[in-house]
Amino acid sequence: MAWAIGANDAANSMSTAVGAKAITPKQAVIIAGLLEFTGAYFFGKSVTETIRKGILDPTMITDPMVLVYGSVAALLAATIWLIVATKFGLPVSTTHSIIGGIAGYGIVYAGTAIVNWGKMGQVVLSWILSPIVGAIMAYFIFKAFTKSIFERKDPVRSARIWSPFWIGLAFVVIGTMFYIKVLHGKDLKTGVLMYGVPLGIVVFVVTYLLIKLRFPSSDPFIGVEAIFRKAQVLTSGYVALAHGANDVANAIGPVAAVYAVATMGLGGMQVPVPKWILAMGGLGIAIGVATYGYRVMETVGKKITELTNTRGFTIDFSAATVVLAASWLGLPISTTHTVVGAVIGIGLARGVKAINKDIVRDIIISWFVTVPVAGLISAAIFKLLMIVG
């Protein structure tokens, strides 16, 4: 499962940087692999939910073996679906895949009453909200960005002032996100004041001084792209780190549930996660990026719309901002859907013709079928396991 998450989801973090040619696919694989592993192993939560997002009512599961078989079925189902999606280069949500798998075994075991439909409604809402908000955010940030730099009388001078501003602003968001997503902090104010603002100011000053010393080119377009190429590698790296810290739970939540039943005979809602399970998750994600991540990278980075460094940076910045706002408001949001939405938003900012509509259609269809398909596969596997077991 972790391997499949790496192949499908981790590609998100690097796809914009690869698409905009800030880094080569080989570099992307090494950077993403290292950072995803670091995120998962050092910053993955030491306690995980046995049932992702509380999608099932745990009081209705009386036999701990049901949790074991169910978790295995959900893992296998999500993995199978992710591998199919990755083969076709479709970026789907790993969280949705595992939720579908869990709901699938739950319904087979105890009927539809076991599913927390309110939670399921939130998940469906996040399919719709994430890409739309991602697209709107990217559209407006990109418009503001081009206005502040490229549409001025003296673009080089504007770039010297505005580039540090935009990069600094992005790092305010990244610093805050680091506190919430990587360190799993709870208080947004602390995140902004203690991490976000100080980091943003430092990055602003450093960028400002570097550009003052040497503007990369006399051509404002080439110069600005060169500045943002460096910034993009940093933003993409951050996305990979946060992804490892958060999404490793999709692979190891069910494993931790099985482990808890096997070692302690309990099937609680929250179970401790041994470090070696986190390591397995991190390693699986890293290997997934390296061996199969290129398919989804190609779709998101190249096929939806043409990307440059400034566009890629805007996508990372927009997606990070949306995910941060969603965490703060407690809305379920899918990073995958937000990133894809942001890529579409950038395309729209350049006119509808700039988007490959066929690819977008395929991606949206794959999003809608993720939960039901994972659910059906999981239901079938669960049935089999119960008969054999």
Side-chain angles (χ1 to χ4, degrees):
M1 175 65 181
W3 177 84
I5 290 176
N8 194 292
D9 229 16
N12 285 338
S13 58
M14 291 292 149
S15 53
T16 53
V18 172
K21 300 191 173 55
I23 46 177
T24 65
K26 200 176 247 168
Q27 288 168 322
V29 162
I30 295 165
I31 297 169
L34 283 171
L35 289 171
E36 290 273 354
F37 181 80
T38 307
Y41 185 72
F42 294 103
F43 300 110
K45 281 190 175 170
S46 56
V47 173
T48 186
E49 309 156 303
T50 48
I51 299 170
R52 283 299 275 152
K53 312 282 181 205
I55 219 77
L56 300 183
D57 175 3
T59 55
M60 291 176 74
I61 301 176
T62 44
D63 177 4
M65 281 320 281
V66 169
L67 196 62
V68 173
Y69 290 146
S71 298
V72 171
L75 271 179
L76 281 171
T79 307
I80 292 166
W81 168 240
L82 283 171
I83 291 170
V84 171
T86 308
K87 186 176 182 338
F88 292 104
L90 297 166
V92 294
S93 164
T94 50
T95 310
H96 292 170
S97 308
I98 200 77
I99 285 176
I102 291 171
Y105 89 75
I107 291 171
V108 168
Y109 174 64
T112 50
I114 192 172
V115 178
N116 180 342
W117 292 105
K119 275 273 188 280
M120 191 56 101
Q122 285 187 341
V123 172
V124 173
L125 195 66
S126 80
W127 287 339
I128 302 159
L129 273 183
S130 310
I132 293 173
V133 179
I136 293 169
M137 191 80 183
Y139 179 88
F140 284 113
I141 289 179
F142 190 64
K143 283 285 192 208
F145 184 94
T146 38
K147 252 198 178 52
S148 65
I149 297 178
F150 296 138
E151 291 174 14
R152 290 297 164 100
K153 280 197 185 98
D154 184 354
V156 174
R157 189 172 163 276
S158 304
R160 285 194 166 141
I161 300 163
W162 281 97
S163 300
F165 166 78
W166 286 108
I167 294 172
L169 196 59
F171 276 89
V172 172
V173 174
I174 285 179
T176 313
M177 287 276 284
F178 182 81
Y179 171 73
I180 287 178
K181 287 286 196 189
V182 180
L183 302 176
H184 306 293
K186 292 279 178 278
D187 182 34
L188 186 76
K189 215 179 207 166
T190 313
V192 174
L193 298 175
M194 300 293 292
Y195 290 84
V197 175
L199 182 68
I201 291 169
V202 169
V203 171
F204 173 82
V205 172
V206 171
T207 317
Y208 184 78
L209 293 174
L210 285 174
I211 295 172
K212 208 173 167 72
L213 284 172
R214 205 183 116 259
F215 191 72
S217 166
S218 55
D219 178 329
F221 284 93
I222 295 170
V224 172
E225 291 297 337
I227 293 167
F228 280 93
R229 179 173 299 140
K230 308 261 189 312
Q232 215 198 329
V233 178
L234 293 173
T235 50
S236 298
Y238 162 73
V239 176
L241 182 76
H243 179 265
N246 278 280
D247 277 29
V248 72
N250 288 326
I252 63 167
V255 177
V258 173
Y259 180 74
V261 173
T263 52
M264 300 175 277
L266 48 91
M269 273 309 282
Q270 301 276 342
V271 287
V273 183
K275 270 293 190 201
W276 63 267
I277 295 188
L278 280 173
M280 268 170 49
L283 197 64
I285 291 177
I287 295 169
V289 180
T291 50
Y292 212 38
Y294 60 89
R295 296 238 170 179
V296 172
M297 272 188 208
E298 197 176 19
T299 302
V300 181
K302 296 199 174 113
K303 288 184 178 168
I304 298 175
T305 191
E306 197 185 323
L307 293 181
T308 58
N309 297 118
T310 43
R311 288 173 202 159
F313 170 82
T314 312
I315 290 163
D316 289 344
F317 178 25
S318 310
T321 311
V322 171
V323 172
L324 176 64
S327 311
W328 176 56
L329 295 168
L331 291 171
I333 207 134
S334 155
T335 315
T336 308
H337 294 193
T338 312
V339 169
V340 172
V343 175
I344 295 169
I346 291 283
L348 286 173
R350 297 163 49 230
V352 178
K353 285 198 174 65
I355 295 174
N356 180 341
K357 292 177 211 50
D358 294 344
I359 289 278
V360 173
R361 188 197 60 225
D362 291 349
I363 292 172
I364 291 171
I365 292 170
S366 74
W367 287 351
F368 273 98
V369 301
T370 294
V371 170
V373 168
L376 289 168
I377 300 171
S378 170
I381 296 171
F382 181 69
K383 263 253 187 284
L384 266 173
L385 288 172
M386 288 301 267
I387 296 164
V388 176

